[in-house]
Amino acid sequence: DGGITQSPKYLFRKEGQNVTLSCEQNLNHDAMYWYRQDPGQGLRLIYYSQIVNDFQKGDIAEGYSVSREKKESFPLTVTSAQKNPTAFYLCASTLGGRGRGDTQYFGPGTRLTVL
Amino acid sequence: RKEVEQDPGPFNVPEGATVAFNCTYSNSASQSFFWYRQDCRKEPKLLMSVYSSGNEDGRFTAQLNRASQYISLLIRDSKLSDSATYLCVVNMGTSGTYKYIFGTGTRLKVLA
């Protein structure tokens, strides 16, 4: 089955610690995205990557970092510099290219709680 | 004005009813539009995509009005299982680039 996986499903972190959220896809999609969702708010873009070894900041990149060393993988690190990291983190991917390659598919999400 | 706006609801409707949600967007050059369904504490799941005037899939119909810059979602014969939050997403990118703007969602409760 093709799809996007995220791990872990739930993550607890102490203040001051960095944590890395995993996102893997076997859809052969070129582009990948990280969003955060807070209660009552729309999804906000953290980082995105359109091809391997390239990524761009989204609207709320401060306190986060990413890498894209493989097409299938786009891990997100939440650093201690992120002031309010407790949120629901969603990874998505798109086939890319022109035409109808812009449909986003989402992973199941990671719920991060800072203690 | 927000780039993508939705009525947050909740819309409480009886089983079997027809319900419609609207989503307005600010960028007239937007190329593609999506409706997602999101259940509580789960990821958004694609309901349908709209590239031209509209799309239909069973009980669900999406219609795009470019002149008035809104997209609607119509659900006919509502089921209890339709209860969820419906997210409107607009791709405001140009020339093959993607810039997704999400609405905050409309909550639907279908009552027995």
Side-chain angles (χ1 to χ4, degrees):
Chain A
D1 274 346
I4 304 175
T5 56
Q6 290 185 244
S7 61
K9 189 172 181 179
Y10 298 98
L11 186 58
F12 297 89
R13 185 195 97 175
K14 291 183 179 179
E15 280 193 33
Q17 287 181 336
N18 293 355
V19 289
T20 297
L21 281 57
S22 165
C23 177
E24 304 276 332
Q25 54 96 3
N26 60 3
L27 299 167
N28 200 32
H29 282 179
D30 286 323
M32 297 183 76
Y33 310 79
W34 273 106
Y35 294 92
R36 84 174 259 169
Q37 187 176 33
D38 296 281
Q41 296 194 34
L43 277 68
R44 291 184 290 166
L45 182 64
I46 303 172
Y47 267 99
Y48 66 100
S49 167
Q50 294 186 307
I51 56 171
V52 176
N53 293 321
D54 184 59
F55 50 82
Q56 309 292 331
K57 290 183 179 180
D59 301 317
I60 55 165
E62 186 174 347
Y64 300 98
S65 65
V66 293
S67 63
R68 186 90 186 274
E69 297 175 3
K70 297 187 298 182
K71 187 174 185 177
E72 305 80 24
S73 179
F74 191 40
L76 173 74
T77 297
V78 184
T79 75
S80 56
Q82 168 49 235
K83 298 301 178 198
N84 186 20
T86 295
F88 187 38
Y89 289 87
L90 288 157
C91 179
S93 69
T94 56
L95 180 62
R98 294 184 180 274
R100 301 196 173 195
D102 62 346
T103 301
Q104 287 193 311
Y105 296 92
F106 287 87
T110 292
R111 200 165 291 276
L112 173 64
T113 302
V114 174
L115 305 171
Chain B
R1 181 187 172 187
K2 288 184 181 177
E3 292 181 284
V4 174
E5 284 199 82
Q6 294 182 252
D7 183 337
F11 283 61
N12 297 324
V13 302
E15 257 189 302
T18 295
V19 61
F21 312 135
N22 271 354
C23 168
T24 58
Y25 60 96
S26 61
N27 185 344
S28 61
S30 300
Q31 295 299 309
S32 51
F33 309 83
F34 307 89
W35 283 102
Y36 285 82
R37 171 201 171 117
Q38 187 174 27
D39 292 288
C40 189
R41 302 176 74 81
K42 296 288 182 80
E43 76 274 25
K45 290 192 187 292
L46 181 69
L47 194 57
M48 65 177 61
S49 52
V50 182
Y51 295 91
S52 56
S53 59
N55 199 357
E56 184 172 333
D57 183 5
R59 298 183 293 110
F60 299 86
T61 301
Q63 290 202 313
L64 173 62
N65 185 320
R66 287 194 182 273
S68 301
Q69 293 180 213
Y70 74 84
I71 182 165
S72 63
L73 177 67
L74 182 77
I75 305 175
R76 289 181 295 277
D77 189 22
S78 301
K79 313 288 186 194
L80 294 175
S81 58
D82 293 334
S83 297
T85 296
Y86 291 83
L87 302 178
C88 171
V89 184
V90 179
N91 177 9
M92 295 188 177
T94 57
S95 302
T97 64
Y98 303 158
K99 181 184 178 186
Y100 300 95
I101 307 297
F102 287 76
T104 53
T106 297
R107 279 184 60 203
L108 171 65
K109 288 186 178 180
V110 181
L111 308 171

Short mmCIF file of all heavy atoms in Angstrom, two decimals, chain B residues 8-64:
data_model
loop_
_atom_site.label_atom_id
_atom_site.label_comp_id
_atom_site.label_asym_id
_atom_site.label_seq_id
_atom_site.Cartn_x
_atom_site.Cartn_y
_atom_site.Cartn_z
N PRO B 8 -17.26 28.92 10.45
CA PRO B 8 -16.82 27.84 11.33
C PRO B 8 -17.92 26.89 11.78
O PRO B 8 -17.64 25.77 12.22
CB PRO B 8 -16.21 28.58 12.52
CG PRO B 8 -16.86 29.92 12.50
CD PRO B 8 -17.12 30.24 11.07
N GLY B 9 -19.18 27.34 11.69
CA GLY B 9 -20.28 26.51 12.15
C GLY B 9 -20.35 26.52 13.68
O GLY B 9 -19.93 27.49 14.31
N PRO B 10 -20.87 25.46 14.34
CA PRO B 10 -21.25 24.20 13.69
C PRO B 10 -22.59 24.27 12.97
O PRO B 10 -23.46 25.04 13.35
CB PRO B 10 -21.33 23.22 14.86
CG PRO B 10 -21.69 24.07 16.03
CD PRO B 10 -21.06 25.41 15.79
N PHE B 11 -22.69 23.48 11.93
CA PHE B 11 -23.94 23.27 11.24
C PHE B 11 -24.53 21.98 11.83
O PHE B 11 -23.93 20.92 11.70
CB PHE B 11 -23.71 23.07 9.73
CG PHE B 11 -23.43 24.34 8.98
CD1 PHE B 11 -22.32 25.12 9.28
CD2 PHE B 11 -24.25 24.74 7.95
CE1 PHE B 11 -22.06 26.29 8.59
CE2 PHE B 11 -23.98 25.91 7.24
CZ PHE B 11 -22.90 26.68 7.56
N ASN B 12 -25.66 22.10 12.49
CA ASN B 12 -26.36 20.93 13.05
C ASN B 12 -27.54 20.62 12.15
O ASN B 12 -28.45 21.44 12.03
CB ASN B 12 -26.84 21.22 14.47
CG ASN B 12 -25.69 21.48 15.41
OD1 ASN B 12 -24.63 20.87 15.30
ND2 ASN B 12 -25.89 22.39 16.35
N VAL B 13 -27.51 19.46 11.51
CA VAL B 13 -28.57 19.10 10.56
C VAL B 13 -29.08 17.71 10.87
O VAL B 13 -28.33 16.87 11.39
CB VAL B 13 -28.07 19.16 9.10
CG1 VAL B 13 -27.53 20.56 8.78
CG2 VAL B 13 -27.03 18.11 8.81
N PRO B 14 -30.34 17.43 10.57
CA PRO B 14 -30.87 16.08 10.79
C PRO B 14 -30.40 15.14 9.68
O PRO B 14 -30.10 15.57 8.56
CB PRO B 14 -32.39 16.28 10.73
CG PRO B 14 -32.56 17.49 9.88
CD PRO B 14 -31.37 18.37 10.12
N GLU B 15 -30.38 13.88 10.01
CA GLU B 15 -30.06 12.86 8.99
C GLU B 15 -30.97 13.03 7.79
O GLU B 15 -32.16 13.30 7.93
CB GLU B 15 -30.33 11.46 9.58
CG GLU B 15 -29.12 10.72 10.00
CD GLU B 15 -29.45 9.28 10.38
OE1 GLU B 15 -30.27 9.07 11.28
OE2 GLU B 15 -28.86 8.38 9.75
N GLY B 16 -30.39 12.87 6.62
CA GLY B 16 -31.18 12.97 5.40
C GLY B 16 -31.26 14.37 4.82
O GLY B 16 -31.70 14.56 3.67
N ALA B 17 -30.81 15.35 5.56
CA ALA B 17 -30.89 16.74 5.08
C ALA B 17 -29.81 17.02 4.04
O ALA B 17 -28.83 16.29 3.92
CB ALA B 17 -30.73 17.69 6.26
N THR B 18 -30.03 18.09 3.31
CA THR B 18 -29.01 18.61 2.39
C THR B 18 -28.38 19.83 3.04
O THR B 18 -29.09 20.70 3.56
CB THR B 18 -29.64 18.99 1.05
OG1 THR B 18 -30.15 17.80 0.42
CG2 THR B 18 -28.62 19.64 0.13
N VAL B 19 -27.07 19.89 3.01
CA VAL B 19 -26.38 21.01 3.65
C VAL B 19 -25.32 21.53 2.68
O VAL B 19 -24.73 20.76 1.92
CB VAL B 19 -25.75 20.57 4.99
CG1 VAL B 19 -24.71 19.47 4.79
CG2 VAL B 19 -25.14 21.75 5.73
N ALA B 20 -25.11 22.84 2.71
CA ALA B 20 -24.12 23.45 1.83
C ALA B 20 -23.20 24.36 2.62
O ALA B 20 -23.66 25.10 3.51
CB ALA B 20 -24.82 24.24 0.72
N PHE B 21 -21.92 24.31 2.30
CA PHE B 21 -20.93 25.19 2.90
C PHE B 21 -20.32 26.05 1.80
O PHE B 21 -20.11 25.57 0.68
CB PHE B 21 -19.77 24.40 3.53
CG PHE B 21 -20.17 23.28 4.41
CD1 PHE B 21 -19.54 22.04 4.30
CD2 PHE B 21 -21.16 23.44 5.36
CE1 PHE B 21 -19.90 20.99 5.13
CE2 PHE B 21 -21.52 22.39 6.19
CZ PHE B 21 -20.89 21.16 6.07
N ASN B 22 -20.00 27.27 2.15
CA ASN B 22 -19.29 28.13 1.22
C ASN B 22 -17.89 28.42 1.71
O ASN B 22 -17.64 28.42 2.91
CB ASN B 22 -20.03 29.46 1.05
CG ASN B 22 -21.05 29.38 -0.06
OD1 ASN B 22 -21.14 28.39 -0.78
ND2 ASN B 22 -21.83 30.44 -0.18
N CYS B 23 -17.02 28.69 0.75
CA CYS B 23 -15.64 29.06 1.06
C CYS B 23 -15.26 30.18 0.11
O CYS B 23 -15.36 30.00 -1.12
CB CYS B 23 -14.74 27.84 0.89
SG CYS B 23 -12.97 28.20 0.89
N THR B 24 -14.87 31.33 0.64
CA THR B 24 -14.48 32.44 -0.23
C THR B 24 -12.96 32.57 -0.23
O THR B 24 -12.30 32.26 0.77
CB THR B 24 -15.10 33.76 0.23
OG1 THR B 24 -14.70 34.02 1.58
CG2 THR B 24 -16.61 33.69 0.17
N TYR B 25 -12.42 33.03 -1.35
CA TYR B 25 -10.98 33.17 -1.47
C TYR B 25 -10.65 34.53 -2.08
O TYR B 25 -11.45 35.11 -2.81
CB TYR B 25 -10.36 32.03 -2.28
CG TYR B 25 -10.88 31.92 -3.70
CD1 TYR B 25 -10.19 32.50 -4.76
CD2 TYR B 25 -12.05 31.21 -3.97
CE1 TYR B 25 -10.66 32.40 -6.05
CE2 TYR B 25 -12.52 31.10 -5.26
CZ TYR B 25 -11.83 31.69 -6.30
OH TYR B 25 -12.30 31.60 -7.59
N SER B 26 -9.45 35.02 -1.77
CA SER B 26 -9.12 36.39 -2.13
C SER B 26 -8.38 36.53 -3.46
O SER B 26 -8.46 37.58 -4.10
CB SER B 26 -8.27 37.02 -1.02
OG SER B 26 -7.07 36.28 -0.87
N ASN B 27 -7.66 35.50 -3.86
CA ASN B 27 -6.81 35.61 -5.04
C ASN B 27 -7.54 35.09 -6.28
O ASN B 27 -7.77 33.89 -6.42
CB ASN B 27 -5.52 34.80 -4.82
CG ASN B 27 -4.53 34.97 -5.95
OD1 ASN B 27 -4.86 35.42 -7.04
ND2 ASN B 27 -3.28 34.60 -5.69
N SER B 28 -7.90 36.01 -7.16
CA SER B 28 -8.68 35.63 -8.33
C SER B 28 -7.89 34.74 -9.30
O SER B 28 -8.48 34.09 -10.16
CB SER B 28 -9.16 36.89 -9.07
OG SER B 28 -8.04 37.65 -9.49
N ALA B 29 -6.58 34.70 -9.16
CA ALA B 29 -5.76 33.89 -10.07
C ALA B 29 -5.58 32.45 -9.57
O ALA B 29 -4.88 31.66 -10.20
CB ALA B 29 -4.39 34.54 -10.25
N SER B 30 -6.21 32.10 -8.47
CA SER B 30 -6.07 30.74 -7.92
C SER B 30 -6.49 29.71 -8.94
O SER B 30 -7.49 29.88 -9.64
CB SER B 30 -6.91 30.60 -6.66
OG SER B 30 -6.49 31.53 -5.68
N GLN B 31 -5.73 28.61 -8.99
CA GLN B 31 -5.93 27.63 -10.05
C GLN B 31 -6.70 26.40 -9.61
O GLN B 31 -7.40 25.80 -10.43
CB GLN B 31 -4.57 27.20 -10.58
CG GLN B 31 -3.80 28.31 -11.27
CD GLN B 31 -4.54 28.84 -12.47
OE1 GLN B 31 -4.97 28.09 -13.35
NE2 GLN B 31 -4.74 30.16 -12.51
N SER B 32 -6.52 26.00 -8.40
CA SER B 32 -7.14 24.74 -7.99
C SER B 32 -7.63 24.82 -6.55
O SER B 32 -7.13 25.61 -5.76
CB SER B 32 -6.16 23.57 -8.17
OG SER B 32 -4.93 23.84 -7.57
N PHE B 33 -8.61 23.99 -6.28
CA PHE B 33 -9.35 24.08 -5.04
C PHE B 33 -9.63 22.67 -4.53
O PHE B 33 -9.82 21.75 -5.32
CB PHE B 33 -10.68 24.82 -5.28
CG PHE B 33 -10.50 26.12 -5.99
CD1 PHE B 33 -10.39 26.16 -7.37
CD2 PHE B 33 -10.39 27.31 -5.27
CE1 PHE B 33 -10.19 27.35 -8.05
CE2 PHE B 33 -10.20 28.51 -5.94
CZ PHE B 33 -10.10 28.53 -7.31
N PHE B 34 -9.66 22.54 -3.21
CA PHE B 34 -9.82 21.21 -2.63
C PHE B 34 -10.75 21.29 -1.43
O PHE B 34 -10.72 22.26 -0.67
CB PHE B 34 -8.45 20.66 -2.18
CG PHE B 34 -7.41 20.70 -3.27
CD1 PHE B 34 -6.62 21.82 -3.44
CD2 PHE B 34 -7.23 19.62 -4.11
CE1 PHE B 34 -5.66 21.88 -4.45
CE2 PHE B 34 -6.28 19.66 -5.11
CZ PHE B 34 -5.50 20.79 -5.29
N TRP B 35 -11.50 20.24 -1.25
CA TRP B 35 -12.24 20.04 -0.01
C TRP B 35 -11.67 18.80 0.67
O TRP B 35 -11.53 17.74 0.05
CB TRP B 35 -13.73 19.83 -0.26
CG TRP B 35 -14.47 21.09 -0.56
CD1 TRP B 35 -14.89 21.54 -1.77
CD2 TRP B 35 -14.91 22.08 0.39
NE1 TRP B 35 -15.55 22.74 -1.65
CE2 TRP B 35 -15.58 23.08 -0.32
CE3 TRP B 35 -14.81 22.20 1.79
CZ2 TRP B 35 -16.14 24.20 0.29
CZ3 TRP B 35 -15.35 23.31 2.40
CH2 TRP B 35 -16.01 24.29 1.66
N TYR B 36 -11.36 18.97 1.96
CA TYR B 36 -10.89 17.86 2.76
C TYR B 36 -11.87 17.66 3.91
O TYR B 36 -12.47 18.62 4.42
CB TYR B 36 -9.51 18.14 3.37
CG TYR B 36 -8.36 18.04 2.40
CD1 TYR B 36 -8.04 19.10 1.56
CD2 TYR B 36 -7.59 16.88 2.32
CE1 TYR B 36 -6.98 19.01 0.67
CE2 TYR B 36 -6.52 16.78 1.44
CZ TYR B 36 -6.23 17.84 0.62
OH TYR B 36 -5.18 17.75 -0.27
N ARG B 37 -11.95 16.44 4.37
CA ARG B 37 -12.70 16.12 5.57
C ARG B 37 -11.69 15.81 6.66
O ARG B 37 -10.72 15.07 6.43
CB ARG B 37 -13.56 14.88 5.28
CG ARG B 37 -14.22 14.31 6.49
CD ARG B 37 -14.62 12.88 6.31
NE ARG B 37 -15.04 12.35 7.59
CZ ARG B 37 -16.28 11.92 7.83
NH1 ARG B 37 -17.19 11.92 6.86
NH2 ARG B 37 -16.59 11.47 9.00
N GLN B 38 -11.93 16.38 7.85
CA GLN B 38 -11.03 16.08 8.97
C GLN B 38 -11.86 15.65 10.17
O GLN B 38 -12.69 16.42 10.66
CB GLN B 38 -10.15 17.28 9.33
CG GLN B 38 -9.10 16.95 10.38
CD GLN B 38 -8.12 18.08 10.64
OE1 GLN B 38 -8.43 19.25 10.45
NE2 GLN B 38 -6.91 17.73 11.09
N ASP B 39 -11.62 14.45 10.65
CA ASP B 39 -12.25 13.99 11.87
C ASP B 39 -11.41 14.43 13.05
O ASP B 39 -10.22 14.72 12.92
CB ASP B 39 -12.39 12.46 11.83
CG ASP B 39 -13.38 12.03 10.78
OD1 ASP B 39 -14.58 12.24 10.98
OD2 ASP B 39 -12.95 11.51 9.73
N CYS B 40 -12.05 14.43 14.21
CA CYS B 40 -11.40 14.94 15.42
C CYS B 40 -10.07 14.23 15.66
O CYS B 40 -10.01 12.99 15.71
CB CYS B 40 -12.33 14.77 16.60
SG CYS B 40 -11.76 15.59 18.09
N ARG B 41 -9.00 15.00 15.78
CA ARG B 41 -7.68 14.49 16.11
C ARG B 41 -7.10 13.55 15.04
O ARG B 41 -6.25 12.71 15.33
CB ARG B 41 -7.69 13.81 17.47
CG ARG B 41 -8.16 14.74 18.59
CD ARG B 41 -8.26 14.00 19.92
NE ARG B 41 -6.94 13.74 20.50
CZ ARG B 41 -6.25 14.63 21.19
NH1 ARG B 41 -6.72 15.85 21.37
NH2 ARG B 41 -5.09 14.31 21.71
N LYS B 42 -7.58 13.71 13.81
CA LYS B 42 -7.05 12.91 12.72
C LYS B 42 -6.54 13.84 11.61
O LYS B 42 -6.73 15.05 11.65
CB LYS B 42 -8.15 12.01 12.14
CG LYS B 42 -8.67 10.97 13.11
CD LYS B 42 -7.65 9.89 13.33
CE LYS B 42 -8.15 8.80 14.24
NZ LYS B 42 -9.03 7.84 13.57
N GLU B 43 -5.91 13.22 10.60
CA GLU B 43 -5.40 14.01 9.50
C GLU B 43 -6.52 14.35 8.51
O GLU B 43 -7.51 13.64 8.40
CB GLU B 43 -4.28 13.24 8.76
CG GLU B 43 -4.75 12.11 7.84
CD GLU B 43 -4.94 10.81 8.56
OE1 GLU B 43 -5.17 10.81 9.79
OE2 GLU B 43 -4.85 9.77 7.85
N PRO B 44 -6.35 15.42 7.73
CA PRO B 44 -7.32 15.71 6.66
C PRO B 44 -7.27 14.63 5.59
O PRO B 44 -6.19 14.15 5.21
CB PRO B 44 -6.82 17.05 6.09
CG PRO B 44 -5.94 17.63 7.13
CD PRO B 44 -5.31 16.47 7.82
N LYS B 45 -8.45 14.28 5.11
CA LYS B 45 -8.54 13.31 4.01
C LYS B 45 -9.23 13.98 2.83
O LYS B 45 -10.26 14.64 3.00
CB LYS B 45 -9.32 12.07 4.45
CG LYS B 45 -8.58 11.22 5.47
CD LYS B 45 -9.22 9.89 5.65
CE LYS B 45 -8.60 9.10 6.78
NZ LYS B 45 -7.23 8.67 6.47
N LEU B 46 -8.68 13.80 1.66
CA LEU B 46 -9.21 14.44 0.47
C LEU B 46 -10.63 13.97 0.17
O LEU B 46 -10.89 12.77 0.09
CB LEU B 46 -8.31 14.15 -0.73
CG LEU B 46 -8.74 14.79 -2.05
CD1 LEU B 46 -8.55 16.31 -1.98
CD2 LEU B 46 -7.95 14.21 -3.21
N LEU B 47 -11.52 14.93 0.01
CA LEU B 47 -12.90 14.65 -0.38
C LEU B 47 -13.03 14.83 -1.90
O LEU B 47 -13.52 13.95 -2.59
CB LEU B 47 -13.83 15.59 0.36
CG LEU B 47 -15.31 15.30 0.38
CD1 LEU B 47 -15.60 13.92 0.95
CD2 LEU B 47 -16.04 16.36 1.19
N MET B 48 -12.63 16.00 -2.38
CA MET B 48 -12.59 16.20 -3.81
C MET B 48 -11.75 17.39 -4.19
O MET B 48 -11.52 18.28 -3.38
CB MET B 48 -13.99 16.31 -4.40
CG MET B 48 -14.81 17.47 -4.00
SD MET B 48 -16.40 17.45 -4.89
CE MET B 48 -17.06 15.90 -4.33
N SER B 49 -11.29 17.38 -5.43
CA SER B 49 -10.52 18.49 -5.97
C SER B 49 -11.33 19.13 -7.09
O SER B 49 -12.14 18.47 -7.75
CB SER B 49 -9.17 18.00 -6.50
OG SER B 49 -9.36 16.92 -7.39
N VAL B 50 -11.13 20.42 -7.30
CA VAL B 50 -11.89 21.16 -8.31
C VAL B 50 -10.92 21.99 -9.13
O VAL B 50 -10.19 22.82 -8.58
CB VAL B 50 -12.94 22.08 -7.66
CG1 VAL B 50 -13.74 22.80 -8.74
CG2 VAL B 50 -13.87 21.28 -6.75
N TYR B 51 -10.92 21.77 -10.43
CA TYR B 51 -10.03 22.50 -11.30
C TYR B 51 -10.79 23.37 -12.30
O TYR B 51 -10.24 24.32 -12.83
CB TYR B 51 -9.11 21.55 -12.07
CG TYR B 51 -8.16 20.82 -11.18
CD1 TYR B 51 -8.48 19.59 -10.63
CD2 TYR B 51 -6.92 21.38 -10.86
CE1 TYR B 51 -7.60 18.92 -9.78
CE2 TYR B 51 -6.04 20.71 -10.03
CZ TYR B 51 -6.39 19.49 -9.49
OH TYR B 51 -5.52 18.84 -8.66
N SER B 52 -12.04 23.02 -12.55
CA SER B 52 -12.82 23.83 -13.49
C SER B 52 -14.07 24.30 -12.76
O SER B 52 -13.99 24.87 -11.69
CB SER B 52 -13.13 23.03 -14.75
OG SER B 52 -13.79 21.82 -14.41
N SER B 53 -15.22 24.07 -13.30
CA SER B 53 -16.42 24.66 -12.71
C SER B 53 -16.94 23.87 -11.51
O SER B 53 -17.65 24.42 -10.67
CB SER B 53 -17.51 24.77 -13.76
OG SER B 53 -17.81 23.47 -14.27
N GLY B 54 -16.62 22.60 -11.44
CA GLY B 54 -17.14 21.82 -10.33
C GLY B 54 -16.78 20.37 -10.42
O GLY B 54 -16.07 19.95 -11.33
N ASN B 55 -17.27 19.61 -9.45
CA ASN B 55 -16.98 18.20 -9.39
C ASN B 55 -18.08 17.53 -8.59
O ASN B 55 -18.68 18.15 -7.71
CB ASN B 55 -15.61 17.98 -8.73
CG ASN B 55 -15.03 16.62 -9.03
OD1 ASN B 55 -15.66 15.80 -9.69
ND2 ASN B 55 -13.83 16.40 -8.55
N GLU B 56 -18.35 16.27 -8.91
CA GLU B 56 -19.39 15.55 -8.18
C GLU B 56 -18.91 14.15 -7.89
O GLU B 56 -18.28 13.51 -8.74
CB GLU B 56 -20.69 15.50 -8.99
CG GLU B 56 -21.85 14.84 -8.27
CD GLU B 56 -23.17 14.97 -9.00
OE1 GLU B 56 -23.33 15.95 -9.75
OE2 GLU B 56 -24.02 14.09 -8.83
N ASP B 57 -19.20 13.69 -6.66
CA ASP B 57 -18.82 12.33 -6.29
C ASP B 57 -19.89 11.80 -5.36
O ASP B 57 -19.90 12.12 -4.17
CB ASP B 57 -17.45 12.33 -5.60
CG ASP B 57 -16.98 10.93 -5.25
OD1 ASP B 57 -17.66 9.95 -5.62
OD2 ASP B 57 -15.91 10.82 -4.62
N GLY B 58 -20.82 11.06 -5.91
CA GLY B 58 -21.91 10.50 -5.10
C GLY B 58 -22.78 11.59 -4.51
O GLY B 58 -23.34 12.41 -5.22
N ARG B 59 -22.85 11.63 -3.20
CA ARG B 59 -23.69 12.62 -2.51
C ARG B 59 -23.03 13.99 -2.39
O ARG B 59 -23.66 14.93 -1.89
CB ARG B 59 -24.02 12.10 -1.10
CG ARG B 59 -24.81 10.80 -1.09
CD ARG B 59 -25.17 10.38 0.34
NE ARG B 59 -24.00 10.01 1.13
CZ ARG B 59 -23.54 10.73 2.14
NH1 ARG B 59 -24.12 11.86 2.49
NH2 ARG B 59 -22.48 10.32 2.83
N PHE B 60 -21.81 14.10 -2.81
CA PHE B 60 -21.04 15.32 -2.64
C PHE B 60 -20.85 16.04 -3.98
O PHE B 60 -20.46 15.42 -4.96
CB PHE B 60 -19.67 15.00 -2.04
CG PHE B 60 -19.73 14.35 -0.69
CD1 PHE B 60 -19.88 12.98 -0.57
CD2 PHE B 60 -19.66 15.12 0.46
CE1 PHE B 60 -19.95 12.39 0.68
CE2 PHE B 60 -19.72 14.54 1.71
CZ PHE B 60 -19.88 13.17 1.82
N THR B 61 -21.13 17.35 -3.94
CA THR B 61 -20.93 18.18 -5.14
C THR B 61 -20.20 19.44 -4.75
O THR B 61 -20.58 20.12 -3.79
CB THR B 61 -22.28 18.57 -5.78
OG1 THR B 61 -22.99 17.39 -6.14
CG2 THR B 61 -22.06 19.42 -7.02
N ALA B 62 -19.14 19.74 -5.48
CA ALA B 62 -18.42 21.00 -5.28
C ALA B 62 -18.65 21.87 -6.50
O ALA B 62 -18.59 21.39 -7.63
CB ALA B 62 -16.94 20.73 -5.08
N GLN B 63 -18.90 23.14 -6.26
CA GLN B 63 -19.09 24.07 -7.38
C GLN B 63 -18.20 25.29 -7.18
O GLN B 63 -18.11 25.82 -6.07
CB GLN B 63 -20.54 24.49 -7.47
CG GLN B 63 -21.45 23.37 -7.94
CD GLN B 63 -22.74 23.88 -8.54
OE1 GLN B 63 -23.36 24.75 -7.96
NE2 GLN B 63 -23.14 23.35 -9.68
N LEU B 64 -17.60 25.71 -8.25
CA LEU B 64 -16.69 26.85 -8.23
C LEU B 64 -17.33 28.03 -8.95
O LEU B 64 -17.82 27.87 -10.07
CB LEU B 64 -15.38 26.47 -8.91
CG LEU B 64 -14.34 27.58 -9.15
CD1 LEU B 64 -13.88 28.16 -7.82
CD2 LEU B 64 -13.17 27.04 -9.96
#
